[in-house]
Amino acid sequence: MKRKLNVISTIIVSAIILMGCTPPITFPPVSQTATNAHNQGQFVWHDLATYNPIAARDFYSEVFGWEYETLGYGENTYFVIKNEGTPIGGIFKLADQYGKSAEWLSSMSVPDVNAAIKYNSSAGGKTIFKKATFAGRGETALVQDPQGAFVAFLKSESGDPQPQRAGDIKMNSWLWNELWTTDLQASIDYYKGLTTCESSEVKDSKVPYFLFQKDNKTLSGAIGNPVEGARSSWMPYIKVKDVKATLAKAKAAGAHVMMEPDPSIRKGTVAVLMDPTGAQFTIQQWILR
């Protein structure tokens, strides 16, 4: 696989600052039902930072049927992504001076944003955007972990959604988050320390693959970066009914295919794509186990 990914810290900083400079708006909560519970280590939100939010919006609508609610205006517009009426993420614009870049940014639940920032710094990571409070959403900060992956820390204002089994997740919604890392063991140690999760290696995997687990729930996975020379990053997965049919729609809508379905990889149920603005994501046809 080849990957064209050159998003740098200054680009991400500019994007998040744009959000912070908008007139006061209320963002949707990460859970439609207030839980007042914070499931440390769970991914609860996804934002797409892109140089062309209109093109991205139209692409994901065409491929997955996503609908949008518009917050703000002009250069500071924030598109709330809705899947079957439920908010699942957002899209916002990068500043023009940073060129044609895009990346999905995943938000991980933490009970204390300041403590998470301190942990990241002490482990050798960087704070990209200091803690800020967004009405309706909660406290959040963007960091780069010691291996180079961007991740947002989030303490939700109203609590996190309850983790769902893969079979219960709606089609065309977020299925999984997977860390592609340049140093697998270091990343495992880092996220175990950050979230107090346990890790376990998947047996019979063709390459080393680890799961992060907490309270008998599997939260995410980690694998050595399969893209030579690329920095670490969190890869979001979208659940689809038919991987080949969705892939055909994505190609027709302008996606670049990084990896076609391969029978030797998860029985041909996954494909890795890059949207027309350059953001990576994976689609997976979920097969009941």
Side-chain angles (χ1 to χ4, degrees):
M1 288 185 292
K2 298 291 184 181
R3 167 165 95 161
K4 297 179 181 177
L5 182 59
N6 252 339
V7 180
I8 57 174
S9 301
T10 52
I11 293 177
I12 302 299
V13 171
S14 71
I16 302 297
I17 287 175
L18 280 175
M19 292 177 63
C21 292
T22 59
I25 58 177
T26 299
F27 292 86
V30 300
S31 176
Q32 296 306 289
T33 302
T35 63
N36 298 313
H38 297 94
N39 306 318
Q40 190 171 11
Q42 178 186 352
F43 283 97
V44 295
W45 194 256
H46 298 79
D47 279 309
L48 174 59
T50 173
Y51 75 95
N52 192 337
I54 302 301
R57 180 196 66 184
D58 293 347
F59 168 80
Y60 289 99
S61 178
E62 178 68 23
V63 178
F64 301 108
W66 289 352
E67 298 179 337
Y68 304 90
E69 177 185 354
T70 303
L71 304 179
Y73 57 87
E75 293 290 298
N76 297 327
T77 299
Y78 183 82
F79 295 109
V80 179
I81 302 167
K82 293 186 176 182
N83 182 44
E84 297 185 15
T86 301
I88 62 169
I91 301 175
F92 60 91
K93 190 179 187 303
L94 291 167
D96 290 338
Q97 62 264 36
Y98 294 109
K100 296 183 177 181
S101 298
E103 183 164 355
W104 280 103
L105 303 173
S106 301
S107 292
M108 176 184 286
S109 176
V110 297
D112 186 327
V113 174
N114 285 330
I117 293 172
K118 183 177 180 180
Y119 172 86
N120 182 65
S121 298
S122 66
K126 300 176 182 178
T127 300
I128 305 303
F129 183 64
K130 295 180 180 179
K131 185 181 79 172
T133 300
F134 292 93
R137 180 66 49 78
E139 297 178 346
T140 188
L142 182 70
V143 306
Q144 192 171 24
D145 74 21
Q147 285 67 54
F150 291 108
V151 62
F153 296 146
L154 175 63
K155 182 180 181 181
S156 170
E157 187 174 291
S158 56
D160 301 332
Q162 290 299 316
Q164 291 181 288
R165 296 187 308 113
D168 295 331
I169 294 172
K170 291 180 180 179
M171 290 295 172
N172 302 316
S173 193
W174 304 110
L175 175 66
W176 187 240
N177 291 272
E178 186 173 273
L179 179 62
W180 291 12
T181 174
T182 56
D183 190 330
L184 185 55
Q185 189 57 56
S187 288
I188 291 169
D189 293 342
Y190 169 85
Y191 283 100
K192 287 174 65 176
L194 172 67
T195 64
T196 69
C197 288
E198 297 297 325
S199 67
S200 63
E201 186 170 5
V202 176
K203 295 180 180 180
D204 301 323
S205 177
K206 292 183 178 180
V207 296
Y209 192 97
F210 287 80
L211 300 174
F212 293 110
Q213 298 157 320
K214 189 177 179 71
D215 299 328
N216 296 316
K217 296 180 176 66
T218 301
L219 302 177
S220 57
I223 189 172
N225 200 323
V227 184
E228 186 178 354
R231 67 163 170 81
S232 301
S233 62
W234 279 99
M235 171 67 77
Y237 279 59
I238 299 172
K239 180 180 178 179
V240 299
K241 185 176 181 179
D242 186 319
V243 68
K244 291 183 179 178
T246 304
L247 181 60
K249 289 174 68 175
K251 287 179 179 179
H256 170 70
V257 181
M258 299 174 63
M259 187 189 79
E260 296 270 358
D262 183 333
S264 69
I265 301 175
R266 300 181 193 178
K267 300 179 180 181
T269 61
V270 299
V272 182
L273 306 174
M274 184 181 292
D275 74 26
T277 73
Q280 294 180 109
F281 64 97
T282 295
I283 55 174
Q284 181 165 6
Q285 176 179 327
W286 185 252
I287 298 174
L288 292 178
R289 302 192 194 298

